[in-house]
Amino acid sequence: MVAATNLQVAIKALEGARSAKERVKTLTQTITAYEQGLTALRESLRQVSIREATLLLQFEAQRERVSQLIAVLSQMEADPAPLLLLHPTGPLGTARSGMMVADVAPALQAEAEELRAQLNEVRALRALQTTAGQTLANGLRVAQEARTTLSQAISDRTDLPRRITEDPAALQSLLESAQTLDAFADGLSETEAGAEGLEDFGFGHGKLALPVLGTVLRGPDEADAAGVRRPGIVLATRKQALVTAPWSGTIRYRGPLLDFGNVIVLEPGAGYLLILAGMETVYGEVGEVVAEGAPLGLMGGGEPAMEEFLISAESGGGARDTETLYVELRQGGEPVDPLPWFAATAPLAGEQQVP
């Protein structure tokens, strides 16, 4: 499978990485390939399990029909004389019925054999998927090590460009005085870090990759369990999922904020702020300019065991996406619908207007 191949390539590149910059890049590739492999494997096993269950039910139904027909034919062959009077039209009708049954029986048997062959094929596919799972299980070990060493590799970087941003004391004062995310974002919007040298963020409209591998749990202004509505989207993702930058930009804030957990505020372009909230671990420092696809943090939760993942996937449920990442986009201090900006969610946004 492609994901497993990508993982093997990433692992090989990781072994050859020397500088801190190379290690960060290859570690990110390794973790991303592993997560993509898990997603592909989960969906594949789910489809195989559904197909196998369907074919098994069909096979059992056909086998019952064939068994009943064979039993009738056996009785007719063992004691044909009394059966001549069974048909309402007499012996001639009984004979014709017997001929029809004799013609149908091979067809039913052939159909049952075809189903058996399909079922064997699905089981063979399941075995292949399980083998792929073992490859990913080896990747699990590498991914765990990659997540552990990524923080150190990031801290070892010395060649990242930096910009002079908010005064630390002023940023701390803003953090302490802000009662809501809106107030904090508005305070950041009053001063710009500058976006010189960065590609125009407007060109990313409809093309951005999601910052984490997951699915949309809630859209803009959809109420959560507590009835709270927010202008951003909530993505459901797996434990320890890697969060990356959808666009190059300057880190305006990094750390805990109110009840959002750890937050990264990225300025991808003049007048824009991208807020990512809910991570357990965050990377980088305020003022750093990060490239598109650069690691920004990790989601919380422990590492899911491969065995548990395979069992749940084979049963059709798949691994549970128990972590949530909140994503909010602001332009000119005002929140905007982020759905049209991301390639994966643009179709959900309905009619779009490019700013």
Side-chain angles (χ1 to χ4, degrees):
M1 59 191 296
V2 175
T5 301
N6 290 342
L7 180 59
Q8 292 173 347
V9 171
I11 293 174
K12 185 176 181 181
L14 179 59
E15 294 173 350
R18 293 294 180 266
S19 68
K21 183 176 181 180
E22 289 176 344
R23 284 182 58 79
V24 169
K25 181 178 180 180
T26 54
L27 284 167
T28 303
Q29 290 175 342
T30 299
I31 297 171
T32 300
Y34 168 69
E35 292 180 348
Q36 291 173 342
L38 279 182
T39 299
L41 179 62
R42 176 175 63 174
E43 178 61 22
S44 179
L45 285 177
R46 188 179 70 85
Q47 294 294 338
V48 168
S49 297
I50 292 174
R51 177 61 175 165
E52 183 180 28
T54 301
L55 287 176
L56 184 59
L57 290 175
Q58 293 177 352
F59 174 73
E60 291 297 332
Q62 290 293 75
R63 186 171 64 176
E64 180 66 20
R65 290 172 54 193
V66 171
S67 298
Q68 291 177 356
L69 187 56
I70 291 176
V72 172
L73 292 176
S74 298
Q75 292 178 1
M76 290 178 63
E77 181 179 358
D79 191 11
L83 295 178
L84 295 177
L85 301 179
L86 288 180
H87 199 277
T89 61
L92 181 58
T94 301
R96 289 175 176 172
S97 297
M99 294 174 62
M100 293 175 61
V101 170
D103 290 338
V104 170
L108 291 176
Q109 185 66 39
E111 185 175 351
E113 291 300 327
E114 181 180 355
L115 287 173
R116 185 194 298 274
Q118 292 176 344
L119 189 58
N120 289 336
E121 181 179 353
V122 171
R123 286 172 175 162
L125 182 58
R126 172 190 286 263
L128 290 176
Q129 296 296 338
T130 303
T131 300
Q134 297 307 314
T135 300
L136 288 170
N138 295 332
L140 170 60
R141 174 184 55 80
V142 177
Q144 288 174 325
E145 295 174 356
R147 292 189 179 106
T148 301
T149 58
L150 185 58
S151 297
Q152 184 61 45
I154 289 176
S155 65
D156 289 343
R157 293 180 302 178
T158 58
D159 56 347
L160 272 184
R162 296 181 61 89
R163 293 199 175 94
I164 297 177
T165 57
E166 295 82 11
D167 175 61
L171 183 60
Q172 183 64 29
S173 175
L174 174 62
L175 181 63
E176 293 174 351
S177 63
Q179 299 297 315
T180 64
L181 179 60
D182 285 344
F184 184 77
D186 288 342
L188 284 181
S189 298
E190 293 177 359
T191 58
E192 295 184 0
E196 298 83 359
L198 295 178
E199 185 179 0
D200 187 353
F201 182 60
F203 290 123
H205 190 277
K207 303 176 183 177
L208 301 182
L210 288 174
V212 68
L213 191 62
T215 56
V216 177
L217 182 62
R218 284 192 298 275
D221 297 321
E222 288 187 16
D224 59 16
V228 178
R229 300 178 184 273
R230 302 187 189 280
I233 61 176
V234 176
L235 300 175
T237 187
R238 284 194 299 274
K239 302 174 182 179
Q240 290 291 293
L242 179 67
V243 180
T244 58
W247 195 264
S248 57
T250 304
I251 297 178
R252 297 290 304 277
Y253 176 76
R254 186 216 75 166
L257 178 62
L258 303 174
D259 59 347
F260 287 88
N262 280 322
V263 174
I264 286 276
V265 179
L266 188 69
E267 184 181 30
Y272 290 95
L273 289 179
L274 182 63
I275 302 168
L276 306 173
M279 291 166 282
E280 180 179 71
T281 304
V282 286
Y283 299 133
E285 298 294 339
V286 173
E288 285 188 0
V289 180
V290 297
E292 178 182 350
L296 296 178
L298 294 173
M299 301 302 296
E303 184 69 50
M306 177 59 70
E307 293 78 9
E308 177 185 354
F309 168 81
L310 288 174
I311 292 174
S312 61
E314 289 173 1
S315 64
R320 294 182 179 180
D321 293 338
T322 58
E323 302 299 312
T324 55
L325 180 72
Y326 177 69
V327 182
E328 182 174 313
L329 180 63
R330 288 175 168 261
Q331 181 181 14
E334 297 295 327
V336 297
D337 185 358
L339 290 176
W341 285 82
F342 296 98
T345 60
L348 304 177
E351 184 175 354
Q352 305 173 26
Q353 293 182 348
V354 178

